[in-house]
Amino acid sequence: MASNQNQASYAAGETKARTEEKTGQMMDKAGQATEATKQKAGEAKDKTAQTAQAAKDRAAESKDQTGSFLGEKTEAAKQKAAEATDAAKQKASETAQYAQERSSDAAQYTKESAVAGKDKTGSVLQQAGETVVSAVVGAKDAVANTLGMGGDNTSTTKDSTTEKITRDH
């Protein structure tokens, strides 16, 4: 029995040794697989970081381009607004100048019309005054003739009535 027992013990030892060897091999393979997985994970992490950085860089570049584009458009809009403002100021100035000239022309016309009216009125009044003086002189002569005081009165003295009427005008 001892030999059976020795053989069983020997077989059990051999099996144990093979199991340990297989376990060691499996552990080595598992360690290598773990190491390979860690390496692949590190590479994936690096690749992800590179991709993320590239995306971040593209986003920043796109933002800069957009900002530049918007800045150019804003500047163009400001310039157009300034040009429109200048044009409006120019038009307002021209309109004000035109209105001032028309107003000045109207004032000059009114002044000239007033002067012409005054001159015309003065002329009419002077003619009326002369007519009144002639009528008074004619009436005086008629009264003098009626009373018998006229006719031979050839003196060179002026009549004070005619002189007073003439002086008042």
Side-chain angles (χ1 to χ4, degrees):
M1 239 197 173
S3 96
N4 247 354
Q5 204 177 14
N6 279 342
Q7 275 184 341
S9 189
Y10 176 77
E14 251 184 56
T15 303
K16 183 179 175 187
R18 272 187 259 148
T19 304
E20 284 177 1
E21 189 179 327
K22 289 281 183 185
T23 303
Q25 287 175 354
M26 292 301 273
M27 289 299 278
D28 285 344
K29 283 184 179 181
Q32 288 174 357
T34 302
E35 193 59 39
T37 303
K38 284 182 182 179
Q39 188 176 357
K40 292 283 183 185
E43 288 173 6
K45 179 182 170 189
D46 291 346
K47 185 71 173 172
T48 303
Q50 288 174 354
T51 303
Q53 185 62 42
K56 182 180 175 185
D57 291 346
R58 281 193 304 270
E61 184 178 324
S62 176
K63 177 186 167 214
D64 291 346
Q65 287 176 348
T66 302
S68 176
F69 176 77
L70 291 176
E72 290 171 8
K73 290 297 181 185
T74 301
E75 190 59 37
K78 283 181 185 178
Q79 188 157 2
K80 283 184 180 181
E83 289 171 2
T85 300
D86 289 345
K89 285 180 183 178
Q90 179 67 25
K91 187 68 175 174
S93 176
E94 289 172 3
T95 302
Q97 181 67 29
Y98 177 80
Q100 184 179 10
E101 289 172 2
R102 296 296 74 79
S103 179
S104 177
D105 291 348
Q108 184 64 32
Y109 175 78
T110 303
K111 179 181 173 185
E112 290 172 1
S113 295
V115 168
K118 178 183 166 196
D119 291 346
K120 192 173 188 180
T121 302
S123 175
V124 168
L125 289 176
Q126 182 178 3
Q127 287 175 353
E130 289 173 0
T131 303
V132 169
V133 168
S134 291
V136 169
V137 168
K140 178 190 96 69
D141 288 344
V143 169
N145 283 336
T146 302
L147 296 175
M149 301 168 62
D152 330 43
N153 192 359
T154 58
S155 78
T156 57
T157 62
K158 281 189 174 178
D159 187 356
S160 64
T161 307
T162 305
E163 185 177 315
K164 182 170 174 36
I165 290 172
T166 309
R167 254 188 294 135
D168 287 343
H169 275 272

